[in-house]
Amino acid sequence: MSATTITNSQLEVVKERLTAYHVWVMVLGVLGYASVAADSALLPTAFPLLSKDLGLDLSILGYIYAAGFISCGIIGMTVAGRATDKWGRKPVMVSALSMTAVFTMLSSLAWNVESFTVARTIATVGYVTWATAGVLIAESVPSQHRGWMIGCIPAGWGLGFGLSALFSGEVATSIGWRPTFLLIGALPLVLALLVAFTIKETPRFLAIKRMNSSELAALRQAKPSIKILFSSGLRRRTIGVSLFFFFAVWMNQLTSYYSIPYLATRGIDFVTANNAIAIGSWIGVIATVITGLFTVMRGSHWTLITLSIISGLSAIGLLVSETDTLIPIFIICMVLALALWGAAPNLTQEAFPTWVRGTGSAFASGCGWAGYGISSLLIQPMVSAFSWSTIWIIVAIPITLILVASIFITPRPQGRNADLPDF
């Protein structure tokens, strides 16, 4: 029996009608990412409380962000992706969620800035959940539903970030940041247990693992690695997707992680700023789902190009906003920044074939986390040397042009909602 025949027979589950199990896989993927987002939001939304207790300031905050995000990016690009293709999508996702949970809860015991930074850095490495959840869903659900179901993953970011912002603004001020970190940190652990005991490994991954060495050789199978991603057949895809992920996070960085210090310079108080973040995040949940549906109808390329341009225009609108329009336009910027990610996961799943999909997706998301880290190192010095307006101009014009160019670089799939390329 040929390798192709084996693959087709083992992948019938993906071609069947939508079932409750498919929906459950999507729900756990979304909620797993939501728990990570809630964890990620703890630091920026509870910053005033941490500043008072541990002596954090804005410059130190940038280094903590950078340490965590760059570490996550490096691990995602070099370790997590290869582990996903070697050992499976499910165990890597469980491990990533557990890492975030354990070290976030440990960070609640921090006694100084140094101990807090170490715990937060290791907790942030677990954010590779983002890429793994995308692969898990993409390879488990019917092709005709893949677009909107993967598009729901970033909705978890808005859901989790909004929950954490509300919790930090309304509850943490009463119970303190340490109990808040302990409670929010437990969420990823709950999701890790649910994934471990209720989700099966994807049929595409199992199909490849069951092939013998001669079948893999016949398909020109190679060991998944960063080097392979830059081979002649994959180079253009890797460059396009990686550029997009690296620069697309800048708008998210400004509207999520630096929103409170930015809004403070515009005269907005802490509680009002946190409420704006919560509102923007929860509207962003709806926006990302809608984006996923647009991806099904129009494809990820067209959707991402359109949203990138509109997002750049909204950044210009924020620059010229007055006091009474600042919060509404800020919320629009945040919603658009989140909506962009309703289509981005489909870009990575469609760009890479199955045998290297985990490696490619993790490399792309690693570039995204590295983008968060590099921007964390640059934003505060740029604010000090220039102004917040300068940063928003950079996001509005040159970065928007880079995003559009990177989408054009990435090859389109042969048809919308087509089966994912296996080999």
mmCIF file of all heavy atoms in Angstrom, residues 362-410:
data_model
loop_
_atom_site.group_PDB
_atom_site.id
_atom_site.type_symbol
_atom_site.label_atom_id
_atom_site.label_comp_id
_atom_site.label_asym_id
_atom_site.label_seq_id
_atom_site.Cartn_x
_atom_site.Cartn_y
_atom_site.Cartn_z
ATOM 1 N N ALA A 362 5.374 27.357 14.560
ATOM 2 C CA ALA A 362 6.079 27.812 15.760
ATOM 3 C C ALA A 362 7.137 28.849 15.420
ATOM 4 O O ALA A 362 7.363 29.792 16.188
ATOM 5 C CB ALA A 362 6.723 26.621 16.476
ATOM 6 N N PHE A 363 7.791 28.693 14.265
ATOM 7 C CA PHE A 363 8.784 29.682 13.855
ATOM 8 C C PHE A 363 8.114 31.031 13.617
ATOM 9 O O PHE A 363 8.616 32.078 14.038
ATOM 10 C CB PHE A 363 9.498 29.227 12.579
ATOM 11 C CG PHE A 363 10.636 30.114 12.171
ATOM 12 C CD1 PHE A 363 11.896 29.925 12.700
ATOM 13 C CD2 PHE A 363 10.442 31.153 11.262
ATOM 14 C CE1 PHE A 363 12.957 30.755 12.340
ATOM 15 C CE2 PHE A 363 11.493 31.984 10.894
ATOM 16 C CZ PHE A 363 12.754 31.786 11.438
ATOM 17 N N ALA A 364 6.949 31.010 12.942
ATOM 18 C CA ALA A 364 6.220 32.253 12.678
ATOM 19 C C ALA A 364 5.767 32.905 13.975
ATOM 20 O O ALA A 364 5.941 34.114 14.181
ATOM 21 C CB ALA A 364 5.028 31.977 11.767
ATOM 22 N N SER A 365 5.170 32.113 14.867
ATOM 23 C CA SER A 365 4.724 32.690 16.131
ATOM 24 C C SER A 365 5.911 33.126 16.977
ATOM 25 O O SER A 365 5.836 34.113 17.709
ATOM 26 C CB SER A 365 3.865 31.691 16.915
ATOM 27 O OG SER A 365 4.634 30.597 17.362
ATOM 28 N N GLY A 366 7.029 32.406 16.850
ATOM 29 C CA GLY A 366 8.244 32.836 17.540
ATOM 30 C C GLY A 366 8.703 34.198 17.065
ATOM 31 O O GLY A 366 9.167 35.028 17.861
ATOM 32 N N CYS A 367 8.564 34.442 15.757
ATOM 33 C CA CYS A 367 8.879 35.768 15.215
ATOM 34 C C CYS A 367 7.944 36.817 15.801
ATOM 35 O O CYS A 367 8.342 37.960 16.060
ATOM 36 C CB CYS A 367 8.769 35.764 13.694
ATOM 37 S SG CYS A 367 10.100 34.866 12.866
ATOM 38 N N GLY A 368 6.681 36.420 16.014
ATOM 39 C CA GLY A 368 5.727 37.340 16.633
ATOM 40 C C GLY A 368 6.126 37.697 18.062
ATOM 41 O O GLY A 368 6.142 38.872 18.439
ATOM 42 N N TRP A 369 6.474 36.682 18.844
ATOM 43 C CA TRP A 369 6.896 36.950 20.222
ATOM 44 C C TRP A 369 8.213 37.725 20.256
ATOM 45 O O TRP A 369 8.423 38.584 21.122
ATOM 46 C CB TRP A 369 7.018 35.644 20.996
ATOM 47 C CG TRP A 369 5.713 34.947 21.208
ATOM 48 C CD1 TRP A 369 5.361 33.693 20.793
ATOM 49 C CD2 TRP A 369 4.566 35.474 21.877
ATOM 50 N NE1 TRP A 369 4.077 33.413 21.147
ATOM 51 C CE2 TRP A 369 3.556 34.484 21.828
ATOM 52 C CE3 TRP A 369 4.274 36.678 22.520
ATOM 53 C CZ2 TRP A 369 2.299 34.665 22.384
ATOM 54 C CZ3 TRP A 369 3.016 36.866 23.075
ATOM 55 C CH2 TRP A 369 2.036 35.862 23.011
ATOM 56 N N ALA A 370 9.103 37.432 19.305
ATOM 57 C CA ALA A 370 10.338 38.209 19.213
ATOM 58 C C ALA A 370 10.025 39.660 18.872
ATOM 59 O O ALA A 370 10.680 40.587 19.364
ATOM 60 C CB ALA A 370 11.261 37.598 18.152
ATOM 61 N N GLY A 371 9.001 39.861 18.022
ATOM 62 C CA GLY A 371 8.559 41.216 17.707
ATOM 63 C C GLY A 371 8.079 41.950 18.938
ATOM 64 O O GLY A 371 8.375 43.142 19.130
ATOM 65 N N TYR A 372 7.348 41.245 19.792
ATOM 66 C CA TYR A 372 6.936 41.835 21.068
ATOM 67 C C TYR A 372 8.161 42.220 21.895
ATOM 68 O O TYR A 372 8.215 43.298 22.496
ATOM 69 C CB TYR A 372 6.099 40.833 21.871
ATOM 70 C CG TYR A 372 4.620 40.841 21.575
ATOM 71 C CD1 TYR A 372 3.981 39.682 21.161
ATOM 72 C CD2 TYR A 372 3.858 41.994 21.738
ATOM 73 C CE1 TYR A 372 2.619 39.671 20.904
ATOM 74 C CE2 TYR A 372 2.494 41.994 21.481
ATOM 75 C CZ TYR A 372 1.883 40.825 21.065
ATOM 76 O OH TYR A 372 0.536 40.818 20.818
ATOM 77 N N GLY A 373 9.148 41.307 21.935
ATOM 78 C CA GLY A 373 10.329 41.562 22.750
ATOM 79 C C GLY A 373 11.162 42.721 22.242
ATOM 80 O O GLY A 373 11.572 43.590 23.025
ATOM 81 N N ILE A 374 11.406 42.765 20.935
ATOM 82 C CA ILE A 374 12.207 43.847 20.363
ATOM 83 C C ILE A 374 11.500 45.185 20.531
ATOM 84 O O ILE A 374 12.127 46.206 20.874
ATOM 85 C CB ILE A 374 12.495 43.578 18.874
ATOM 86 C CG1 ILE A 374 13.331 42.294 18.704
ATOM 87 C CG2 ILE A 374 13.208 44.766 18.241
ATOM 88 C CD1 ILE A 374 14.666 42.327 19.402
ATOM 89 N N SER A 375 10.186 45.206 20.297
ATOM 90 C CA SER A 375 9.444 46.456 20.470
ATOM 91 C C SER A 375 9.460 46.902 21.927
ATOM 92 O O SER A 375 9.469 48.100 22.223
ATOM 93 C CB SER A 375 7.999 46.312 19.967
ATOM 94 O OG SER A 375 7.315 45.288 20.663
ATOM 95 N N SER A 376 9.488 45.933 22.859
ATOM 96 C CA SER A 376 9.571 46.282 24.282
ATOM 97 C C SER A 376 10.872 47.004 24.599
ATOM 98 O O SER A 376 10.908 47.910 25.440
ATOM 99 C CB SER A 376 9.471 45.014 25.141
ATOM 100 O OG SER A 376 8.234 44.370 24.970
ATOM 101 N N LEU A 377 11.947 46.589 23.929
ATOM 102 C CA LEU A 377 13.240 47.242 24.145
ATOM 103 C C LEU A 377 13.304 48.626 23.508
ATOM 104 O O LEU A 377 14.032 49.503 23.979
ATOM 105 C CB LEU A 377 14.364 46.377 23.574
ATOM 106 C CG LEU A 377 14.649 45.054 24.286
ATOM 107 C CD1 LEU A 377 15.717 44.269 23.535
ATOM 108 C CD2 LEU A 377 15.084 45.295 25.735
ATOM 109 N N LEU A 378 12.530 48.842 22.440
ATOM 110 C CA LEU A 378 12.646 50.078 21.672
ATOM 111 C C LEU A 378 11.645 51.156 22.067
ATOM 112 O O LEU A 378 11.944 52.354 21.936
ATOM 113 C CB LEU A 378 12.478 49.764 20.179
ATOM 114 C CG LEU A 378 13.556 48.876 19.539
ATOM 115 C CD1 LEU A 378 13.216 48.624 18.080
ATOM 116 C CD2 LEU A 378 14.925 49.529 19.664
ATOM 117 N N ILE A 379 10.469 50.757 22.532
ATOM 118 C CA ILE A 379 9.400 51.746 22.731
ATOM 119 C C ILE A 379 9.774 52.804 23.758
ATOM 120 O O ILE A 379 9.644 54.013 23.507
ATOM 121 C CB ILE A 379 8.080 51.045 23.106
ATOM 122 C CG1 ILE A 379 7.485 50.370 21.865
ATOM 123 C CG2 ILE A 379 7.074 52.055 23.686
ATOM 124 C CD1 ILE A 379 6.225 49.574 22.125
ATOM 125 N N GLN A 380 10.214 52.378 24.947
ATOM 126 C CA GLN A 380 10.524 53.356 25.973
ATOM 127 C C GLN A 380 11.659 54.306 25.572
ATOM 128 O O GLN A 380 11.539 55.531 25.729
ATOM 129 C CB GLN A 380 10.853 52.660 27.295
ATOM 130 C CG GLN A 380 11.206 53.605 28.444
ATOM 131 C CD GLN A 380 10.127 54.634 28.708
ATOM 132 O OE1 GLN A 380 8.943 54.346 28.543
ATOM 133 N NE2 GLN A 380 10.516 55.840 29.110
ATOM 134 N N PRO A 381 12.787 53.803 25.006
ATOM 135 C CA PRO A 381 13.822 54.729 24.536
ATOM 136 C C PRO A 381 13.314 55.688 23.454
ATOM 137 O O PRO A 381 13.710 56.859 23.422
ATOM 138 C CB PRO A 381 14.909 53.797 23.974
ATOM 139 C CG PRO A 381 14.728 52.527 24.713
ATOM 140 C CD PRO A 381 13.253 52.403 24.920
ATOM 141 N N MET A 382 12.444 55.192 22.577
ATOM 142 C CA MET A 382 11.899 56.051 21.532
ATOM 143 C C MET A 382 10.970 57.112 22.111
ATOM 144 O O MET A 382 10.950 58.258 21.644
ATOM 145 C CB MET A 382 11.165 55.208 20.487
ATOM 146 C CG MET A 382 12.098 54.357 19.632
ATOM 147 S SD MET A 382 11.206 53.266 18.498
ATOM 148 C CE MET A 382 10.480 54.483 17.389
ATOM 149 N N VAL A 383 10.208 56.740 23.140
ATOM 150 C CA VAL A 383 9.346 57.720 23.808
ATOM 151 C C VAL A 383 10.196 58.808 24.451
ATOM 152 O O VAL A 383 9.882 60.002 24.376
ATOM 153 C CB VAL A 383 8.455 57.036 24.860
ATOM 154 C CG1 VAL A 383 7.747 58.074 25.730
ATOM 155 C CG2 VAL A 383 7.420 56.148 24.182
ATOM 156 N N SER A 384 11.294 58.382 25.095
ATOM 157 C CA SER A 384 12.173 59.344 25.769
ATOM 158 C C SER A 384 12.876 60.261 24.773
ATOM 159 O O SER A 384 13.031 61.463 25.009
ATOM 160 C CB SER A 384 13.214 58.592 26.609
ATOM 161 O OG SER A 384 12.594 57.790 27.596
ATOM 162 N N ALA A 385 13.310 59.683 23.638
ATOM 163 C CA ALA A 385 14.053 60.466 22.655
ATOM 164 C C ALA A 385 13.147 61.292 21.753
ATOM 165 O O ALA A 385 13.514 62.386 21.330
ATOM 166 C CB ALA A 385 14.918 59.537 21.801
ATOM 167 N N PHE A 386 11.956 60.759 21.480
ATOM 168 C CA PHE A 386 11.047 61.454 20.562
ATOM 169 C C PHE A 386 9.699 61.699 21.248
ATOM 170 O O PHE A 386 9.581 62.601 22.052
ATOM 171 C CB PHE A 386 10.881 60.635 19.276
ATOM 172 C CG PHE A 386 12.167 60.341 18.576
ATOM 173 C CD1 PHE A 386 12.747 59.078 18.659
ATOM 174 C CD2 PHE A 386 12.822 61.318 17.841
ATOM 175 C CE1 PHE A 386 13.952 58.793 18.024
ATOM 176 C CE2 PHE A 386 14.022 61.050 17.202
ATOM 177 C CZ PHE A 386 14.585 59.789 17.304
ATOM 178 N N SER A 387 8.705 60.875 20.945
ATOM 179 C CA SER A 387 7.380 61.027 21.559
ATOM 180 C C SER A 387 6.533 59.811 21.228
ATOM 181 O O SER A 387 6.896 58.990 20.369
ATOM 182 C CB SER A 387 6.685 62.288 21.029
ATOM 183 O OG SER A 387 6.397 62.142 19.647
ATOM 184 N N TRP A 388 5.391 59.696 21.907
ATOM 185 C CA TRP A 388 4.439 58.638 21.573
ATOM 186 C C TRP A 388 3.940 58.801 20.147
ATOM 187 O O TRP A 388 3.691 57.811 19.449
ATOM 188 C CB TRP A 388 3.260 58.659 22.546
ATOM 189 C CG TRP A 388 3.546 58.094 23.892
ATOM 190 C CD1 TRP A 388 3.736 58.776 25.057
ATOM 191 C CD2 TRP A 388 3.698 56.702 24.218
ATOM 192 N NE1 TRP A 388 3.994 57.913 26.098
ATOM 193 C CE2 TRP A 388 3.967 56.626 25.609
ATOM 194 C CE3 TRP A 388 3.629 55.527 23.482
ATOM 195 C CZ2 TRP A 388 4.164 55.416 26.264
ATOM 196 C CZ3 TRP A 388 3.822 54.314 24.140
ATOM 197 C CH2 TRP A 388 4.085 54.265 25.511
ATOM 198 N N SER A 389 3.800 60.017 19.696
ATOM 199 C CA SER A 389 3.297 60.269 18.341
ATOM 200 C C SER A 389 4.225 59.662 17.288
ATOM 201 O O SER A 389 3.770 59.122 16.274
ATOM 202 C CB SER A 389 3.151 61.773 18.098
ATOM 203 O OG SER A 389 2.174 62.324 18.945
ATOM 204 N N THR A 390 5.539 59.739 17.536
ATOM 205 C CA THR A 390 6.504 59.165 16.597
ATOM 206 C C THR A 390 6.281 57.669 16.436
ATOM 207 O O THR A 390 6.311 57.126 15.324
ATOM 208 C CB THR A 390 7.940 59.425 17.079
ATOM 209 O OG1 THR A 390 8.153 60.831 17.195
ATOM 210 C CG2 THR A 390 8.952 58.826 16.110
ATOM 211 N N ILE A 391 6.053 56.986 17.553
ATOM 212 C CA ILE A 391 5.834 55.540 17.512
ATOM 213 C C ILE A 391 4.563 55.208 16.735
ATOM 214 O O ILE A 391 4.532 54.284 15.910
ATOM 215 C CB ILE A 391 5.758 54.966 18.940
ATOM 216 C CG1 ILE A 391 7.093 55.202 19.664
ATOM 217 C CG2 ILE A 391 5.419 53.476 18.910
ATOM 218 C CD1 ILE A 391 7.078 54.802 21.103
ATOM 219 N N TRP A 392 3.506 55.967 16.968
ATOM 220 C CA TRP A 392 2.245 55.713 16.269
ATOM 221 C C TRP A 392 2.384 55.975 14.777
ATOM 222 O O TRP A 392 1.769 55.273 13.955
ATOM 223 C CB TRP A 392 1.124 56.562 16.872
ATOM 224 C CG TRP A 392 0.593 56.002 18.151
ATOM 225 C CD1 TRP A 392 0.844 56.457 19.411
ATOM 226 C CD2 TRP A 392 -0.248 54.864 18.298
ATOM 227 N NE1 TRP A 392 0.207 55.672 20.342
ATOM 228 C CE2 TRP A 392 -0.478 54.681 19.683
ATOM 229 C CE3 TRP A 392 -0.834 53.971 17.403
ATOM 230 C CZ2 TRP A 392 -1.273 53.656 20.180
ATOM 231 C CZ3 TRP A 392 -1.624 52.940 17.900
ATOM 232 C CH2 TRP A 392 -1.835 52.798 19.268
ATOM 233 N N ILE A 393 3.187 56.957 14.397
ATOM 234 C CA ILE A 393 3.425 57.220 12.968
ATOM 235 C C ILE A 393 4.155 56.042 12.326
ATOM 236 O O ILE A 393 3.835 55.622 11.202
ATOM 237 C CB ILE A 393 4.236 58.518 12.785
ATOM 238 C CG1 ILE A 393 3.369 59.736 13.146
ATOM 239 C CG2 ILE A 393 4.735 58.645 11.342
ATOM 240 C CD1 ILE A 393 4.135 61.039 13.190
ATOM 241 N N ILE A 394 5.134 55.478 13.046
ATOM 242 C CA ILE A 394 5.875 54.327 12.532
ATOM 243 C C ILE A 394 4.933 53.144 12.301
ATOM 244 O O ILE A 394 5.006 52.440 11.288
ATOM 245 C CB ILE A 394 7.008 53.941 13.495
ATOM 246 C CG1 ILE A 394 8.085 55.026 13.497
ATOM 247 C CG2 ILE A 394 7.610 52.588 13.117
ATOM 248 C CD1 ILE A 394 9.159 54.827 14.540
ATOM 249 N N VAL A 395 4.033 52.927 13.250
ATOM 250 C CA VAL A 395 3.063 51.836 13.112
ATOM 251 C C VAL A 395 2.088 52.109 11.970
ATOM 252 O O VAL A 395 1.716 51.205 11.210
ATOM 253 C CB VAL A 395 2.295 51.639 14.438
ATOM 254 C CG1 VAL A 395 1.116 50.689 14.244
ATOM 255 C CG2 VAL A 395 3.231 51.103 15.515
ATOM 256 N N ALA A 396 1.694 53.362 11.828
ATOM 257 C CA ALA A 396 0.664 53.709 10.847
ATOM 258 C C ALA A 396 1.148 53.613 9.410
ATOM 259 O O ALA A 396 0.375 53.242 8.521
ATOM 260 C CB ALA A 396 0.154 55.122 11.124
ATOM 261 N N ILE A 397 2.434 53.938 9.164
ATOM 262 C CA ILE A 397 2.873 54.024 7.760
ATOM 263 C C ILE A 397 3.877 52.922 7.379
ATOM 264 O O ILE A 397 3.510 51.991 6.652
ATOM 265 C CB ILE A 397 3.419 55.433 7.460
ATOM 266 C CG1 ILE A 397 2.321 56.487 7.738
ATOM 267 C CG2 ILE A 397 3.881 55.518 6.005
ATOM 268 C CD1 ILE A 397 2.768 57.914 7.577
ATOM 269 N N PRO A 398 5.139 52.986 7.830
ATOM 270 C CA PRO A 398 6.102 51.975 7.344
ATOM 271 C C PRO A 398 5.738 50.544 7.722
ATOM 272 O O PRO A 398 5.882 49.628 6.909
ATOM 273 C CB PRO A 398 7.432 52.403 7.971
ATOM 274 C CG PRO A 398 7.077 53.311 9.084
ATOM 275 C CD PRO A 398 5.800 53.976 8.704
ATOM 276 N N ILE A 399 5.247 50.334 8.950
ATOM 277 C CA ILE A 399 4.915 48.965 9.353
ATOM 278 C C ILE A 399 3.711 48.445 8.572
ATOM 279 O O ILE A 399 3.674 47.267 8.176
ATOM 280 C CB ILE A 399 4.670 48.893 10.873
ATOM 281 C CG1 ILE A 399 6.023 49.000 11.609
ATOM 282 C CG2 ILE A 399 3.951 47.601 11.260
ATOM 283 C CD1 ILE A 399 5.947 48.875 13.105
ATOM 284 N N THR A 400 2.732 49.315 8.299
ATOM 285 C CA THR A 400 1.592 48.897 7.486
ATOM 286 C C THR A 400 2.049 48.468 6.093
ATOM 287 O O THR A 400 1.578 47.456 5.553
ATOM 288 C CB THR A 400 0.560 50.036 7.370
ATOM 289 O OG1 THR A 400 0.042 50.336 8.666
ATOM 290 C CG2 THR A 400 -0.591 49.631 6.447
ATOM 291 N N LEU A 401 2.976 49.199 5.503
ATOM 292 C CA LEU A 401 3.498 48.847 4.178
ATOM 293 C C LEU A 401 4.234 47.506 4.217
ATOM 294 O O LEU A 401 4.114 46.698 3.289
ATOM 295 C CB LEU A 401 4.429 49.951 3.679
ATOM 296 C CG LEU A 401 3.770 51.298 3.367
ATOM 297 C CD1 LEU A 401 4.831 52.336 2.990
ATOM 298 C CD2 LEU A 401 2.745 51.154 2.241
ATOM 299 N N ILE A 402 4.969 47.250 5.287
ATOM 300 C CA ILE A 402 5.674 45.974 5.428
ATOM 301 C C ILE A 402 4.681 44.822 5.534
ATOM 302 O O ILE A 402 4.870 43.751 4.932
ATOM 303 C CB ILE A 402 6.609 46.003 6.655
ATOM 304 C CG1 ILE A 402 7.760 46.988 6.430
ATOM 305 C CG2 ILE A 402 7.162 44.607 6.951
ATOM 306 C CD1 ILE A 402 8.621 47.214 7.649
ATOM 307 N N LEU A 403 3.609 45.024 6.289
ATOM 308 C CA LEU A 403 2.600 43.976 6.447
ATOM 309 C C LEU A 403 1.975 43.601 5.106
ATOM 310 O O LEU A 403 1.827 42.418 4.784
ATOM 311 C CB LEU A 403 1.512 44.431 7.421
ATOM 312 C CG LEU A 403 1.927 44.645 8.876
ATOM 313 C CD1 LEU A 403 0.735 45.076 9.714
ATOM 314 C CD2 LEU A 403 2.531 43.371 9.452
ATOM 315 N N VAL A 404 1.611 44.618 4.337
ATOM 316 C CA VAL A 404 0.990 44.359 3.031
ATOM 317 C C VAL A 404 1.978 43.638 2.113
ATOM 318 O O VAL A 404 1.618 42.664 1.432
ATOM 319 C CB VAL A 404 0.512 45.678 2.396
ATOM 320 C CG1 VAL A 404 0.033 45.445 0.959
ATOM 321 C CG2 VAL A 404 -0.621 46.293 3.225
ATOM 322 N N ALA A 405 3.230 44.074 2.111
ATOM 323 C CA ALA A 405 4.244 43.441 1.264
ATOM 324 C C ALA A 405 4.475 41.989 1.656
ATOM 325 O O ALA A 405 4.633 41.109 0.792
ATOM 326 C CB ALA A 405 5.553 44.227 1.343
ATOM 327 N N SER A 406 4.474 41.711 2.958
ATOM 328 C CA SER A 406 4.726 40.340 3.417
ATOM 329 C C SER A 406 3.610 39.390 3.003
ATOM 330 O O SER A 406 3.865 38.210 2.725
ATOM 331 C CB SER A 406 4.906 40.316 4.941
ATOM 332 O OG SER A 406 3.694 40.652 5.605
ATOM 333 N N ILE A 407 2.380 39.881 2.943
ATOM 334 C CA ILE A 407 1.265 39.048 2.490
ATOM 335 C C ILE A 407 1.423 38.719 1.010
ATOM 336 O O ILE A 407 1.184 37.591 0.569
ATOM 337 C CB ILE A 407 -0.088 39.747 2.731
ATOM 338 C CG1 ILE A 407 -0.292 39.998 4.230
ATOM 339 C CG2 ILE A 407 -1.238 38.903 2.193
ATOM 340 C CD1 ILE A 407 -0.260 38.760 5.072
ATOM 341 N N PHE A 408 1.846 39.694 0.217
ATOM 342 C CA PHE A 408 2.065 39.444 -1.212
ATOM 343 C C PHE A 408 3.209 38.447 -1.438
ATOM 344 O O PHE A 408 3.197 37.691 -2.414
ATOM 345 C CB PHE A 408 2.358 40.753 -1.947
ATOM 346 C CG PHE A 408 1.127 41.549 -2.266
ATOM 347 C CD1 PHE A 408 0.915 42.796 -1.687
ATOM 348 C CD2 PHE A 408 0.173 41.057 -3.139
ATOM 349 C CE1 PHE A 408 -0.226 43.539 -1.976
ATOM 350 C CE2 PHE A 408 -0.975 41.792 -3.436
ATOM 351 C CZ PHE A 408 -1.169 43.029 -2.855
ATOM 352 N N ILE A 409 4.205 38.445 -0.537
ATOM 353 C CA ILE A 409 5.321 37.507 -0.654
ATOM 354 C C ILE A 409 4.856 36.074 -0.444
ATOM 355 O O ILE A 409 5.307 35.147 -1.123
ATOM 356 C CB ILE A 409 6.429 37.856 0.367
ATOM 357 C CG1 ILE A 409 7.120 39.168 -0.014
ATOM 358 C CG2 ILE A 409 7.466 36.734 0.461
ATOM 359 C CD1 ILE A 409 8.110 39.651 1.024
ATOM 360 N N THR A 410 3.936 35.874 0.495
ATOM 361 C CA THR A 410 3.490 34.525 0.860
ATOM 362 C C THR A 410 2.568 33.951 -0.213
ATOM 363 O O THR A 410 1.546 34.561 -0.533
ATOM 364 C CB THR A 410 2.745 34.552 2.210
ATOM 365 O OG1 THR A 410 3.551 35.214 3.183
ATOM 366 C CG2 THR A 410 2.438 33.135 2.672
#
